Amino acid sequence: DIQMTQSPSSVSASVGDRVTITCRASQGISAWLAWYQQKPGKAPNLLIHPASSSQSGVPSRFSGSGSGTDFTLTISSLQPEDAATYYCQQAKSFPYTFGQGTKLEIK
Amino acid sequence: QITLKESGPTLVRPTQTLTLTCTFSGFSLSTYDVGVGWIRQSPRKALEWVALIYWDDDKRYSPSLRTRLSITKDTSKSQVILTMSNMEPVDTGTYYCARSQYSISDFDYWGQGTLVTVSS
């Protein structure tokens, strides 16, 4: 199985800050990486896939980059509604695997 | 508008078999490239992919759960059914169904999830 490791596990930042979350795959997955946002009590919501393509309706402050084993999700100017847990998922091969999540809190 | 909704028991006894139904609308599971999968989330919030079925009846299972799983589809009813046998307390969590596409491999639409507790 491909292991996905996110860092940090949690982050606290202020409105307007630039926030970066990292995801590392245990082996190369090209650009087969998706990012999800999950708010409390809700299902995950697809933000970006493949690694740098935003889904329709996702605010432009969200961007993704990376290829191979190292990927980043960047929020360029943090907004209060961005408080959530963020997960990466490798879509290169079965079994699909997720990172452990990064909890983003607003100061 | 694409929607998915999970249904099934909220409480299951250890060793029993869980049967979950995903009822969806806004797309067809007979359309090329389309799939419906199951993902579960533990109380500690870890996400785990469980199973997936595609338009052509190709079925994929988590290797760690494979011996306990079965996934089927009823295209006429727009439903996907997941069965998981020999349930254990560690299987407690929220079970989501979600749409996927074979060519893209992400999950672009999710159901609201259903909480399943395994306890005697």
Side-chain angles (χ1 to χ4, degrees), chain B residues 82-94:
Chain B
L82 178 76
T83 62
M84 181 180 297
S85 63
N86 195 25
M87 292 291 285
E88 304 173 5
V90 69
D91 296 314
T92 292
T94 298

Side-chain angles (χ1 to χ4, degrees), chain A residues 10-14 17 19 78 103-107:
Chain A
S10 64
V11 59
S12 181
S14 300
D17 282 354
V19 175
L78 191 64
K103 186 174 184 179
L104 173 57
E105 297 180 330
I106 309 298
K107 287 181 182 176

Side-chain angles (χ1 to χ4, degrees), chain A residues 48-101:
Chain A
I48 291 172
H49 185 245
S52 58
S53 297
S54 297
Q55 296 299 295
S56 174
V58 173
S60 59
R61 62 182 179 274
F62 291 92
S63 64
S65 64
S67 181
T69 60
D70 295 314
F71 302 85
T72 58
L73 173 69
T74 299
I75 307 173
S76 60
S77 179
L78 191 64
Q79 299 301 305
E81 60 267 30
D82 300 336
T85 301
Y86 294 83
Y87 296 90
C88 61
Q89 174 228 329
Q90 67 83 12
K92 172 67 173 177
S93 63
F94 289 105
Y96 294 153
T97 46
F98 292 83
Q100 81 277 17

Side-chain angles (χ1 to χ4, degrees), chain B residues 96-120:
Chain B
Y96 296 98
C97 64
R99 193 187 79 154
S100 184
Q101 292 175 259
Y102 187 83
S103 59
I104 301 177
S105 305
D106 56 29
F107 297 98
D108 57 358
Y109 293 89
W110 294 61
Q112 63 190 24
T114 186
L115 177 61
V116 177
T117 301
V118 184
S119 175
S120 56

Side-chain angles (χ1 to χ4, degrees), chain B residues 43-85:
Chain B
R44 296 190 66 179
K45 303 304 180 185
L47 290 169
E48 180 183 17
W49 171 74
V50 175
L52 203 154
I53 188 166
Y54 288 108
W55 84 100
D56 60 355
D57 211 38
D58 183 13
K59 302 170 185 178
R60 305 298 178 110
Y61 298 104
S62 167
S64 64
L65 300 170
R66 181 180 182 85
T67 59
R68 302 168 52 204
L69 294 175
S70 174
I71 189 169
T72 59
K73 61 181 174 72
D74 186 331
T75 304
S76 65
K77 293 183 178 179
S78 295
Q79 291 182 332
V80 170
I81 298 167
L82 178 76
T83 62
M84 181 180 297
S85 63

Side-chain angles (χ1 to χ4, degrees), chain A residues 2-59:
Chain A
I2 299 174
Q3 306 303 315
M4 307 301 294
T5 304
Q6 287 182 235
S7 61
S9 296
S10 64
V11 59
S12 181
S14 300
V15 172
D17 282 354
R18 182 182 182 90
V19 175
T20 298
I21 298 169
T22 297
C23 181
R24 174 165 290 177
S26 61
Q27 63 189 75
I29 58 171
S30 185
W32 292 95
L33 185 99
W35 288 101
Y36 300 86
Q37 176 193 64
Q38 186 178 33
K39 296 184 177 180
K42 301 294 186 181
N45 178 51
L46 178 64
L47 292 178
I48 291 172
H49 185 245
S52 58
S53 297
S54 297
Q55 296 299 295
S56 174
V58 173

